[in-house]
Structure formats: structure tokens, C-alpha cells
Amino acid sequence: MSETTSVTFGDWMAGVQGTMEADMSAYLPAATAIPAKLHEAMRYALLGGGKRVRPLLVYAAGAVSGGAAQTLSRAASAVEMIHAYSLVHDDMPCMDDDDLRRGKATVHVAYDEATALLVGDALQSQAFAVLAGAEGVPPARLVAMLRVLAEAAGSSGMCGGQAIDLDSVGLSLTREQLERMHQLKTGALLRASVLLGAMAGKDLDAAELQALHDYSRAIGLAFQVVDDVLDATADSATLGKTAGKDAADNKPTYVSILGLEASVALAERLRRDAHAALDAFGDGAQRLRELADLIVQRKA
Amino acid sequence: MSETTSVTFGDWMAGVQGTMEADMSAYLPAATAIPAKLHEAMRYALLGGGKRVRPLLVYAAGAVSGGAAQTLSRAASAVEMIHAYSLVHDDMPCMDDDDLRRGKATVHVAYDEATALLVGDALQSQAFAVLAGAEGVPPARLVAMLRVLAEAAGSSGMCGGQAIDLDSVGLSLTREQLERMHQLKTGALLRASVLLGAMAGKDLDAAELQALHDYSRAIGLAFQVVDDVLDATADSATLGKTAGKDAADNKPTYVSILGLEASVALAERLRRDAHAALDAFGDGAQRLRELADLIVQRKA
């Protein structure tokens, strides 16, 4: 999975995505295990879809540090479980109230609200259980990785960003406020994905860690800018979720603050920043570069 | 905190409760830290109330194993954060829809549903962050403790029990089914509290671990039996939550299955089982014995 030489980016991505599907399925209790409805709904929320951007980042950063496959699999599954739980909760009626996700009915629609609440709660616990089961890194490193995940997920990371997002509906944010919100809401977990992949292997020096930090910051922002552009320009069928929802919900976005053209230009500049941050790494960071391109150039 | 000789049980309890209040406050971001509303609501949910049964169990088991104070504080705070998050989510309209908790308005009433959802989510993350910051145990042990917490919280533990509970409304469960539900819903985290306290200190042998397991099983069940008895016999002002709710919600309880008198007798039998399990420990387990008494003899 960490070979960057003869395998095309598309084949490498498909390989990670296939590995993820199989590994995450194995890291969840069987759909028949009691309570069966909860376990079936957890599988519905986690498996069978998604671009797996965060796992791809874990594996791509793991290629830089030489992380062991089993450690990368568990770290990648853990961040994806955190991401999946956040989608389940964000879609609930008391939050974004969305019926469609990845082209499927959202969990509270396919099941019910109480189940959706528990699915999210249990996926978060499972993320920590899965990461804590990694065996390819020294325990002290694993503890540090668990802290990175917990902090990225919590009130100073993803949950904090979501709280700011909810409080921003109808407000006119400055670009700085919008950026801070997204650095928490989306950026924190993307950054954690890169960090966890990097921590899974050999020790990186301070300059290398700073380079990965700069890379993460650039792609984290780019990811959100492109999301806003797509929400304003693509249709629901392409997105697999309800398009035009930000404007309908009166949410501040890069498009509403900067305009469409400047947002597209910003995303491209961030893509180049991400590449520049990786200059010191040479070929080992090829997958990270390709992921920066993917994040900015995606159509959904 | 681990001295059992000259300090009365009441003073020891008050000491742990005071330590918990101060330490958990320190383990949370300030109420003014952005996003302030979320952090304020997390403090509202966690601080200023509660019997702190799970922290007391952590400290009492830590007295058996000789766990370091800082490790016990973090482990106790982590289990209490998991417990507090579960209460916030269980009280939401899509679950038990309760307005009153510990004599205060529940979080979704005092704030709003979206905030309650995020408070629970962020408290769960914070639990793992706090435990992962423990420094008084070897990292390999700490990883094992994080796994114990994650598994007790997840779909094979607390969340699983809550799912079974929701699916049991209006059904007539057997006593075995009811017991299984409660061993997950309440028992798993109570057991984890005892285990985490025990793991915080010196290695215990297999017989000692089995004894603590038997103790945990007995008090876990006793806790729920007494909860059911109190729900049927006490008033809301005494309980600090809505009384008589189980019958009103048509939920199966020990009282509805066994009757009141047999439930009271069962709780007393479990209290004696808990004491018997601790026979091998001598004075070191005095706090655990006193907690078994407290759990069965409490009035709220």
C-alpha cells in the first residue's frame, strides 16, 4: 500500500479504499451481534461508500514515515469512524436535518433518530477501541496517537467547529472567522489523519513535522473551499447529498464571502501551497501531492 | 485519597467528590474558550452535581492496587465524562425525553438540542483525551486502560445496552434479558470504573482480577435493581429526576418483573455477594465494601 513507484494513483486509491472496506468491516461487530439493529445501522453508516479522503491521507503520510500496514489500517479506520459518526449526528433533525448522504438515506431516515444518536456515539467509542488495538508502534507513541485523535475530535477540534458553524447561521462572518471555523470543523480531523499516518512510522524531525503541518493546513482549507464551490455549482445527484443547501440555510461560505471566481482561485493557490510544503520529502510524498490535487480538482 | 484507616467513609467520599469537581473542571476548556457556548454547556453537564459513583469506584479500586493519585484522577474523570455524556444524550427528546436531571434542567432544555448533541459528543472525546494524558502508569498499561474505557462505552457496552433498552419498551422481557440489558447499559461502565482503578496500580493476579470482576457484576446489577425500586417508590424531588418514569414509559424493570419486595431482597443479596467477592483483599478493599453498601442502601 505504501509503494509509490509502479502503481498509478487511481490504482493506489482503489487499493486503499478496498482495504478500508474490508478492514473497517472486520473492526465492527457483526450485523447479527446483539444489539443487531444498532450494529446493522453502524455498518450502514460506515461501510459501502465515501471517498475515504481521511484514510487516504493516513496511508499517504504513512508512506512518508514508513508506517506498518496494520497500524495504518487501524489509524485510518479510526479517523474514518470519527468522520462517519460526525456525519450521522450532523444530519440529524436538530442539526442540519438532511435526508441524503452519499446517495443514500441518512441514518435517522433509514432507521430512527434514537438509533442515529447511538450509532454516532458507538462509532466514536469504536474509533478509540480500534486505534488502541494497534500493535505496530511502541505504546508511548500509540498513546500520543490516541491523544491526537481525541483532541481533533473534541471541542477544540471537530465538535468545536460544528458548534461555531451552528452559531454562525444567518451571521456575516469575516473570512478569518470562516477560516477558523473550518480549521476546526473539517481541518482538525484532516490534519489528524496526516499526523497519525506520520506518527505510525519512524520519528520525523521538527522540520518534517512542520512541513506536514503546513501541508495539512493548506489541504484542510482547500477541502472546505472546494466543498463550498461544489455546493454552489453541482447538483445533488453528482454530490450524493443535497446541493445548494448552504445558501438555502443562510450559511456563510467562501462563495458567499469571496465570490465564486475568487474561491476557485483560492483553492488552486492552496493546492500549490500544499505542494510547496512537501518539497523536502522527494518521492516519498508523491501520494500526498496527488491527494492535494484530488481534493482541489474533485467534482463531488 | 487512598488512606482507609483513620478517615470515615463519609469524609473519604466528600474528599473524592471535591477532588473530582476541581480536577474535572481543570480537564475541561475554560467556559470562555471558543466556542464558549459549547464549553459552558459541557461544564453545565459535567460539574456541580452527581453522586460520582463511578469516580468513587475508581478511587476505591485504586486503593486496592495502590494506583497513583494523578492516574486515578484522570481515570475517574474519564469515566465520569462518559457517564455524563450518556445522560445528556439519553435525556434528549429522541431518546427518553426528560427535562430534569440532578435537580436541574437537562442540557437540551437549558440550551438546545444541537448543543446537547455536541456536548455529549465532545465530552466523549474529552474522556479519551484526559485518560490518554495520564502519566503515572507505563504506556502499555495506559493503552490497555483506554481500550477498557472504549469497549465499556461502545456498542458492546453502554451504547449497546441503551439500544436494547429502547427496543424493549412495551415488551415483556425475561429476567435474564433484563439482566443482560443492564449489564451493558449500566454494568459495563461501573465494571470499567473498578477495572481502571485496579489497573492504575500494581499488577493484580488472576484471582484478584476475578474477585473484582465478581464484585463489579454484583454492584452493577444491584445499582440497577435499586434504581428501579427508587423509581417506583421515591418522589422526583428526592431523586432529582422524574420519578415513576419507567412505569409511565411502559419499560420493563426489576419491580415490574419481580415485584417490589423481591427486588429489595435481590438488592440485599447482591450486596452480600459483593462483600463475599472481596474476602481475599482484607482492609485494602474497605472502600469497595462501603460503596456496595452505599449503592444498595441509597435513597436517591
Side-chain angles (χ1 to χ4, degrees), chain B residues 123-183:
Chain B
L123 279 176
Q124 179 168 193
S125 307
Q126 194 66 8
F128 291 102
V130 167
L131 182 54
E135 290 170 352
V137 281
R141 176 68 65 86
L142 186 52
V143 168
M145 292 170 72
L146 286 156
R147 284 186 80 166
V148 163
L149 185 66
E151 283 163 13
S155 68
S156 304
M158 187 183 74
C159 284
Q162 179 68 8
I164 297 174
D165 192 10
L166 285 170
D167 285 344
S168 303
V169 171
L171 299 183
S172 78
L173 298 190
T174 65
R175 182 172 159 182
E176 288 68 33
Q177 289 171 320
L178 187 70
E179 180 172 326
R180 183 166 63 183
M181 174 181 88
H182 288 308
Q183 285 293 7

Side-chain angles (χ1 to χ4, degrees), chain A residues 34-35 37 39 85 89 94-95 113-114 117 121 124-125 128-129 132 139-140 143 146-147 150 153-155 160 163 166-167 180, chain B residues 34-35 37 39 42 85 89 94-95 113-114 117 121 124-125 128-129 132 139-140 143 146-147 150 153-155 160 166 180:
Chain A
I34 290 174
K37 181 174 159 194
H39 288 133
Y85 114 66
H89 281 185
C94 70
M95 301 272 262
E113 282 187 53
L117 186 50
D121 291 345
Q124 178 167 197
S125 307
F128 291 102
V143 168
L146 286 156
R147 285 185 80 165
S155 68
L166 286 170
D167 285 343
R180 183 166 62 183
Chain B
I34 291 174
K37 181 174 158 195
H39 288 134
M42 287 169 75
Y85 114 66
H89 280 185
C94 69
M95 301 269 264
E113 282 186 52
L117 186 51
D121 290 346
Q124 179 168 193
S125 307
F128 291 102
V143 168
L146 286 156
R147 284 186 80 166
S155 68
L166 285 170
R180 183 166 63 183

Side-chain angles (χ1 to χ4, degrees), chain B residues 4 6 30 34 40 61 87 101 126 128 161 202 234 240 264 277 284 289:
Chain B
T4 57
S6 58
I34 291 174
E40 188 194 293
L87 298 182
R101 168 72 67 181
Q126 194 66 8
F128 291 102
K202 68 176 163 56
V264 172
R289 291 186 193 96

Side-chain angles (χ1 to χ4, degrees), chain A residues 10 32 76 79 142 145 156 170 172-173 212 216 245 278 282 293-294:
Chain A
T32 51
V79 292
L142 186 52
M145 293 170 73
S156 304
S172 80
L173 297 190
L212 290 178
S216 302
K245 196 147 192 328
L278 300 174
D293 297 343
L294 176 77

Side-chain angles (χ1 to χ4, degrees), chain A residues 215-228:
Chain A
Y215 168 84
S216 302
R217 185 171 177 84
I219 59 140
L221 261 193
F223 190 91
Q224 192 58 50
V225 174
V226 172
D227 244 24
D228 289 352

Side-chain angles (χ1 to χ4, degrees), chain A residues 246-269:
Chain A
D246 294 334
D249 289 349
N250 201 16
K251 280 197 177 182
T253 70
Y254 281 97
V255 174
S256 71
I257 291 179
L258 301 180
L260 187 60
E261 198 176 340
S263 297
V264 171
L266 173 60
E268 173 58 20
R269 191 171 61 71

